[in-house]
Amino acid sequence: MKTDNTMQPLLTLRKPKFSPSAALAIGLPSLLMATPLLAQDDEPIVLDTMQIEERTVDTNPYAEPGAPYKAKISGDSRHVKPLAETPQTITVLTQTAIQESGDTDLRAILANQPGITLGTGENGNAFGDRYVIRGHEARSDVFVDGLRDPGMTIRESFAVEQVEITKGPSSTFAGRGSTGGAVNSITKQASTEYNFNKVQGGIGTDDFRRLTLDSNVSVTDDAAVRVNLLHAYQEVPDREPADRERNGAAVSGSLQATDKLKLVADYYYLKAEDKPDLGSYIDRTSGKPVKDIPVYMQDEDFLESEVNTATFRAEYDFTDNLRLINATRYGTTDNGYVATGTRGSTSLSTHQGWQEVEYFANMTNLFFDTEIGGLKNQFVTTLEYSSHKVINGVYDITNTGTPNCGTSYCFSDGAGNYYDDLNDLMQRQISKGVKDSDYNIDTWSLAVMDTIDLTDAWSVFLGVRADYFEYDNKVGRPGSVTEYKYSDTLWNGHIGTVYDLTENGNVYLTYSTSSNINGGESDVGGSCGYGGLCGDPTQVGDSKPEQTENIELGTKWNILNEKLLLTAAVFRITKDDVMESVGDSYATLGTLNTGKNRVEGFEFSVAGNITDKLSVQAGAAIMNAEVLESFNNGINTTIPTRGPNAGIPQLTSDDAGKTLANFADKSAFVQARYQLTDDFSFGANATYSSEVFTGQPDTAANEDLGVPSYTVYDLFATYEFSPQLNVRLNVGNVTDKDYYLTAYRSGAFTYIGDRRNAQLTVSYEF
């Protein structure tokens, strides 16, 4: 229920503890009794018109009421302004949009979004999800409720309220990393405002089954508990016997201990077990993936993640203008996989590794609203400590099967005929081996941010952050260990300004920076590539942090009674002192920060209701990436015609001028739903990605090898039998498109997108 804009606060109820009719039963007699009093006053009291607005259970508290595809505010309270007034590109996917899309894993959800591509990995860095945002590696820039979520784990959406994707460097909020952006999942929390139980059960093609429970119970007026449970299984469409299984639980409790103190605790568990399919490979002659390849996964292959996380929050309101939120999290993640790839066109290879992650974090945010010189200031001060420990290792594997081509295992003969029993060729015996790296990083952070309303039309955001870290990485097996150890302080800032052109539209300009340490990726041990750290340990302390600058000019329009948000922005991200993989040169030169690259482009998005019946979530990104500087091997020489070095021979790299690996210069996504009748709605998704070339992150792409562009269409429809019961049908890849998501740097394996599939989901609320 809410009043018009003159009455605050706004109160919305999902499932009221008393019905609207009860409210009217109380309210009408009260008004009748008040009539004589009104007659006695000289001036009558005019009551504001009241509106009753019901919420469905799957409408999250951060969404715009009545526009379930549009988020109104961020789930991260450090963003003190509504999203429409925040000077940065932030794409938010609400729970309703996610559920109707049919995607469940975070990897699949993000793969559809413009400006984001997927990465692959080998051996120590292929455990789970990998994302590339605006051309830059973001696998360590994943957060849950504002706290970093370390580990290369598989992530599910069953306990997620909304997913927020921040584009561009944001180290003021995120700390180290966040070069191209960051991903923050906002989880479902217990609330005393409503009681509900919602069960969803789904069946479908490829032996699909999915069962979830979302139950919120208001124990007292001050305490509530919420439980989310998950079981899901599916064979990978058209790639059986590859499959995916998920089992999870999320429990949240809240207690309003006093008028000023609120306590929140939650626990999250997920067990993900896959039979992984590494897909096809890229033919060296054509430079494209080989089509119609069989599943050569071995029976013993696996990809597993087990996550246990506990979080405790305390929120205290000192005054109306001063409040404190403290969050403490402890978690562990166990990851492991043995997967079969290809070597050349026929020979099979093994990719494998295990990882144990333990992390602790404590973050305190102090919010202070005050006036200084007659100007409204909204201060946020953040103090954070985190301890991140990762042990990596490999499995001991013995292949007992008889090789079928020399000393190797092949899935086809010289004539291209596939062998029988492809999934039982190697007959592996697998046991967990010793560790080969012990990674530890402790970080202390302090950030101060302020949002200032200069006038009714102008506002400014200012932020600065310091991250002091102590890094220690012992690489190698027992008896032969190399220790990399150093410490440093990273300084970063953010400044943005917003000017309101009208009541509903603005323009903004923002500048932000980020820094990332050498060796910051915990999953690669002493590998020179993929963000690892190697070379001479004595030189590590002399290395430079990678530095990134971003400038963005954009506009946001909150229109149609604030039910539709339009955003558009042009941006330029420049990354300097890039740590490059230069092979044997590391052994003599130590860690090298010799690279520089740039990504610039335009991004547009729309979210919300176009009409009362038509809802949409859409976006498009057109970008250009270029390697500006790269390691110089002393072979190539050019003579500049302009600049300070004009006429002087200069050594150049072959990579300068090339695009970045794992980068799509054009991408788009549209999800639209039309409410045909009160009971029936239908919609469609369309995802487009341009061609993507192979290579390591932050390096020049190999433009001879890549995956082609693709467009994939999905359909969905929902029928509501009653307010408590509805059925949804999802059809993914309705045209049965044969497409590929990304490829390993050598082209040895190429992830295949899901073929046509369908699921029927029944939801019942009680």
Side-chain angles (χ1 to χ4, degrees):
M1 186 171 63
K2 72 173 185 178
T3 65
D4 65 13
N5 293 335
T6 63
M7 299 185 68
Q8 298 292 336
L10 172 63
L11 176 63
T12 54
L13 301 176
R14 290 188 179 176
K15 192 170 184 181
K17 295 180 180 178
F18 56 90
S19 66
S21 59
L24 291 174
I26 296 173
L28 288 175
S30 299
L31 291 175
L32 292 174
M33 292 176 62
T35 303
L37 295 177
L38 292 175
Q40 295 175 10
D41 293 339
D42 293 335
E43 296 183 5
I45 298 175
V46 179
L47 297 177
D48 292 303
T49 302
M50 302 186 72
Q51 299 175 348
I52 294 174
E53 185 175 283
E54 291 194 19
R55 275 187 157 181
T56 59
V57 171
D58 58 357
T59 301
N60 76 67
Y62 313 104
E64 187 75 55
Y69 279 15
K70 176 180 180 287
K72 183 180 181 67
I73 60 175
S74 168
D76 186 344
S77 55
R78 292 176 297 174
H79 292 290
V80 297
K81 293 281 191 180
L83 291 169
E85 302 172 34
T86 301
Q88 192 169 16
T89 298
I90 302 178
T91 300
V92 180
L93 309 174
T94 65
Q95 180 190 165
T96 301
I98 292 171
Q99 288 191 349
E100 292 187 342
S101 74
D103 293 323
T104 54
D105 279 2
L106 185 61
R107 177 177 178 267
I109 294 168
L110 295 182
N112 294 333
Q113 297 306 307
I116 300 179
T117 52
L118 297 180
T120 67
E122 179 185 22
N123 297 331
N125 57 358
F127 295 104
D129 301 340
R130 286 192 59 210
Y131 317 113
V132 179
I133 303 178
R134 285 185 174 175
H136 295 94
E137 179 74 48
R139 70 181 185 270
S140 294
D141 301 322
V142 181
F143 297 77
V144 175
D145 295 327
L147 290 171
R148 193 180 297 270
D149 184 37
M152 290 287 292
T153 184
I154 295 172
R155 298 174 173 93
E156 236 278 347
S157 63
F158 78 101
V160 170
E161 200 77 85
Q162 65 184 28
V163 175
E164 303 179 1
I165 309 164
T166 302
K167 304 290 184 64
S170 55
S171 280
T172 307
F173 289 89
R176 61 181 176 85
S178 65
T179 302
V183 179
N184 186 24
S185 293
I186 307 301
T187 61
K188 300 176 181 179
Q189 297 294 325
S191 173
T192 58
E193 294 184 5
Y194 40 74
N195 293 296
F196 67 83
N197 300 280
K198 185 172 185 178
V199 176
Q200 289 188 329
I203 58 173
T205 59
D206 309 292
D207 202 19
F208 174 91
R209 63 180 184 267
R210 183 178 176 88
L211 181 65
T212 63
L213 168 69
D214 188 358
S215 176
N216 189 95
V217 178
S218 180
V219 181
T220 69
D221 290 341
D222 299 318
V225 176
R226 188 167 185 175
V227 177
N228 281 268
L229 302 176
L230 164 72
H231 168 71
Y233 174 84
Q234 181 186 28
E235 293 173 353
V236 178
D238 202 35
R239 302 294 292 174
E240 187 270 334
D243 62 18
R244 310 166 183 135
E245 182 173 350
R246 309 282 184 265
N247 292 284
V251 181
S252 171
S254 67
L255 172 64
Q256 190 71 44
T258 69
D259 290 342
K260 295 180 177 294
L261 177 63
K262 182 180 180 181
L263 305 176
V264 178
D266 61 68
Y267 169 74
Y268 176 84
Y269 171 81
L270 179 69
K271 177 72 170 181
E273 300 175 283
D274 290 3
K275 288 286 188 179
D277 172 33
L278 292 188
S280 184
Y281 63 93
I282 296 181
D283 179 73
R284 290 278 173 172
T285 302
S286 66
K288 303 300 181 184
V290 175
K291 294 185 177 182
D292 300 321
I293 192 169
V295 179
Y296 48 83
M297 175 202 78
Q298 298 302 288
D299 291 337
E300 299 82 11
D301 288 0
F302 65 91
L303 170 61
E304 297 180 353
S305 290
E306 185 170 13
V307 183
N308 286 273
T309 303
T311 307
F312 178 78
R313 293 179 181 82
E315 305 176 12
Y316 191 83
D317 296 332
F318 294 95
T319 66
D320 291 341
N321 299 325
L322 180 65
R323 62 190 178 100
L324 180 145
I325 301 177
N326 178 269
T328 301
R329 176 173 295 160
Y330 174 78
T332 61
T333 301
D334 291 330
N335 303 311
Y337 75 104
V338 174
T340 302
T342 60
R343 185 175 287 120
S345 61
T346 60
S347 181
L348 300 180
S349 59
T350 301
H351 308 270
Q352 53 104 347
W354 59 263
Q355 180 188 78
E356 297 176 355
V357 182
E358 181 181 13
Y359 55 97
F360 172 85
N362 181 275
M363 181 169 65
T364 299
N365 292 314
L366 183 66
F367 300 84
F368 179 47
D369 299 343
T370 187
E371 283 196 5
I372 300 177
L375 302 179
K376 180 182 178 181
N377 289 252
Q378 294 175 279
F379 287 98
V380 181
T381 302
T382 299
L383 180 65
E384 183 177 355
Y385 166 75
S386 64
S387 176
H388 183 189
K389 305 177 186 297
V390 182
I391 297 175
N392 294 294
V394 295
Y395 291 96
D396 295 328
I397 301 175
T398 301
N399 298 322
T400 62
T402 302
N404 59 4
C405 54
T407 59
S408 301
Y409 300 88
C410 296
F411 60 83
S412 66
D413 59 22
N417 301 308
Y418 297 119
Y419 290 114
D420 295 330
D421 300 324
L422 281 181
N423 309 120
D424 192 36
L425 288 176
M426 293 184 168
Q427 299 178 22
R428 289 170 166 156
Q429 294 180 352
I430 303 171
S431 61
K432 190 174 182 179
V434 299
K435 68 179 181 181
D436 55 23
S437 74
D438 188 348
Y439 172 101
N440 299 270
I441 183 167
D442 291 346
T443 307
W444 292 261
S445 306
L446 176 64
V448 179
M449 295 173 274
D450 186 20
T451 301
I452 309 169
D453 292 335
L454 300 177
T455 67
D456 291 340
W458 282 99
S459 66
V460 174
F461 170 80
L462 305 169
V464 63
R465 180 174 177 132
D467 293 277
Y468 171 77
F469 66 88
E470 293 181 352
Y471 175 96
D472 182 86
N473 195 3
K474 299 178 181 67
V475 178
R477 298 193 172 195
S480 179
V481 175
T482 300
E483 184 176 16
Y484 300 92
K485 187 174 183 178
Y486 72 114
S487 61
D488 199 358
T489 300
L490 308 176
W491 288 90
N492 287 286
H494 194 159
I495 181 171
T497 183
V498 179
Y499 178 71
D500 292 334
L501 298 171
T502 69
E503 183 179 354
N504 301 108
N506 61 56
V507 293
Y508 68 87
L509 179 66
T510 188
Y511 171 84
S512 59
T513 70
S514 69
S515 303
N516 203 10
I517 66 174
N518 293 315
E521 302 298 346
S522 63
D523 53 308
V524 288
S527 170
C528 294
Y530 287 91
L533 186 63
C534 61
D536 186 347
T538 63
Q539 297 185 29
V540 170
D542 297 329
S543 64
K544 301 176 182 179
E546 297 178 318
Q547 303 283 358
T548 307
E549 294 183 338
N550 174 64
I551 187 166
E552 179 174 304
L553 174 65
T555 182
K556 296 186 178 185
W557 292 83
N558 203 18
I559 60 175
L560 301 182
N561 198 26
E562 299 188 354
K563 293 296 190 289
L564 185 70
L565 179 62
L566 305 176
T567 66
V570 292
F571 61 88
R572 170 180 283 185
I573 301 174
T574 304
K575 186 174 183 179
D576 207 347
D577 294 319
V578 176
M579 182 183 175
E580 295 188 281
S581 175
V582 293
D584 293 339
S585 296
Y586 271 108
T588 56
L589 300 177
T591 299
L592 300 177
N593 297 92
T594 49
K596 184 176 182 179
N597 57 57
R598 175 172 292 159
V599 177
E600 54 190 8
F602 168 80
E603 186 163 344
F604 166 82
S605 69
V606 54
N609 294 352
I610 295 179
T611 70
D612 291 340
K613 295 182 178 293
L614 179 61
S615 300
V616 66
Q617 168 88 46
I622 301 173
M623 304 183 292
N624 178 66
E626 182 180 2
V627 175
L628 301 179
E629 297 175 9
S630 186
F631 176 69
N632 192 323
N633 57 21
I635 297 176
N636 302 297
T637 303
T638 62
I639 301 178
T641 58
R642 292 184 294 179
N645 296 318
I648 303 175
Q650 301 288 309
L651 296 175
T652 62
S653 167
D654 287 334
D655 290 339
K658 292 184 178 180
T659 189
L660 289 174
N662 299 312
F663 176 81
D665 56 10
K666 299 180 184 66
S667 54
F669 173 73
V670 178
Q671 179 172 329
R673 179 186 67 177
Y674 188 78
Q675 192 74 39
L676 184 63
T677 69
D678 290 342
D679 300 324
F680 178 70
S681 64
F682 65 93
N685 301 342
T687 304
Y688 168 78
S689 174
S690 61
E691 187 175 23
V692 174
F693 297 108
T694 66
Q696 291 191 47
D698 282 331
T699 65
N702 181 352
E703 297 183 13
D704 294 327
L705 304 176
V707 297
S709 62
Y710 65 85
T711 304
V712 177
Y713 302 97
D714 306 326
L715 300 176
F716 62 91
T718 300
Y719 187 82
E720 186 175 282
F721 292 95
S722 71
Q724 290 76 37
L725 178 65
N726 68 73
V727 176
R728 185 180 72 249
L729 175 67
N730 287 89
V731 181
N733 192 0
V734 67
T735 62
D736 205 22
K737 174 75 173 180
D738 188 8
Y739 70 105
Y740 307 88
L741 296 169
T742 189
Y744 181 57
R745 59 179 179 176
S746 67
F749 52 86
T750 303
Y751 294 164
I752 299 175
D754 283 357
R755 299 299 292 266
R756 183 164 53 216
N757 57 92
Q759 300 87 38
L760 185 69
T761 302
V762 179
S763 299
Y764 181 67
E765 181 187 345
F766 59 96

